Amino acid sequence: MSRPLLVLASASPRRLELLAQIGIAPDRIDPADIDETPLRDETPPRLAARLAVSKAGVVAERSPDDVVLAADTVVAVGRRLLEKAADEAEATRFLKLLSGRNHRVFTGVAVAAGGKTSHRVVETRVTFKPLSDAEIAAYVATGDWRGKAGAYGIQGPAGAFVIRIVGSHPAVMGLPLHETANLLAGVGWRPAAQG
């Protein structure tokens, strides 16, 4: 019996790099295009879980015989969600809010296989140093914030803003590796070398 294909329901280059760290190369990339608008009164961890599960489900419908891996990352300050900033002004507002304080990053990861979907949500606490207006402006000017929850990527220049992290560093980048490997193992999928 042939090994099922692994489909990554994301176009994120960061997720591909993270999977490569643990020896996983998806057979195909098929991004899920879903509405990511939070539901009324939806908590950040529930949103991360719902989006990951929804993305996995959409792609699993197109690839029912494959194993589908999906993830979504949500940044929250208290109960306030910081989604992907729409423009430089919003990115600046987000960074001012994150400056000198703790926030939480919730990353949902889901694996769909054989008509069933399993998921986990990983919470990581991140603390930013106090940021000057000049530091924020310089970072925003790099464009690194585009397409990233909370308007920053920990693997880029904004990594210099982080003074403390409690939890999973890879999850803040977009994919918790331990949980991902466990979910894939749970459906019997192993990298070809381990197959």
Side-chain angles (χ1 to χ4, degrees):
M1 187 172 157
S2 65
R3 177 174 156 273
L5 297 180
L6 176 65
V7 181
L8 178 62
S10 170
S12 165
R14 294 174 301 283
R15 291 192 177 112
L16 273 177
E17 291 166 8
L18 288 165
L19 286 170
Q21 285 182 23
I22 57 172
I24 295 175
D27 297 290
R28 194 166 70 253
I29 295 171
D30 184 6
D33 184 20
I34 65 168
D35 181 357
E36 297 187 16
T37 306
L39 302 176
R40 182 184 167 100
D41 296 327
E42 190 169 34
T43 64
R46 285 179 188 257
L47 174 62
R50 179 176 63 83
L51 293 178
V53 168
S54 295
K55 288 176 179 180
V58 165
V59 175
E61 285 181 14
R62 299 193 287 251
S63 304
D65 298 325
D66 301 328
V67 174
V68 177
L69 171 64
D72 200 88
T73 301
V74 173
V75 174
V77 177
R79 282 184 57 94
R80 180 173 174 186
L81 286 169
L82 300 186
E83 300 174 74
K84 294 169 183 162
D87 53 31
E88 290 187 359
E90 188 168 46
T92 299
R93 282 196 301 277
F94 284 3
L95 291 163
K96 285 184 176 182
L97 185 63
L98 295 172
S99 173
R101 63 192 297 187
N102 297 312
H103 62 278
R104 294 173 300 155
V105 179
F106 297 95
T107 300
V109 59
V111 170
K116 296 181 181 176
T117 303
S118 302
H119 76 278
R120 299 284 180 273
V121 176
V122 175
E123 176 182 345
T124 306
R125 294 181 181 270
V126 181
T127 307
F128 269 21
K129 71 174 192 163
L131 303 175
S132 68
D133 288 347
E135 286 174 311
I136 291 173
Y139 177 69
V140 170
T142 69
D144 185 67
W145 55 272
R146 293 184 191 279
K148 297 181 174 82
Y152 79 92
I154 197 169
Q155 70 281 359
F161 302 159
V162 177
I163 58 174
R164 187 163 186 247
I165 182 169
V166 179
S168 169
H169 187 275
V172 180
M173 290 176 63
L175 193 68
L177 295 179
H178 172 73
E179 290 77 9
T180 297
N182 283 349
L183 285 169
L184 289 171
V187 298
W189 192 92
R190 300 272 191 294
Q194 300 175 16

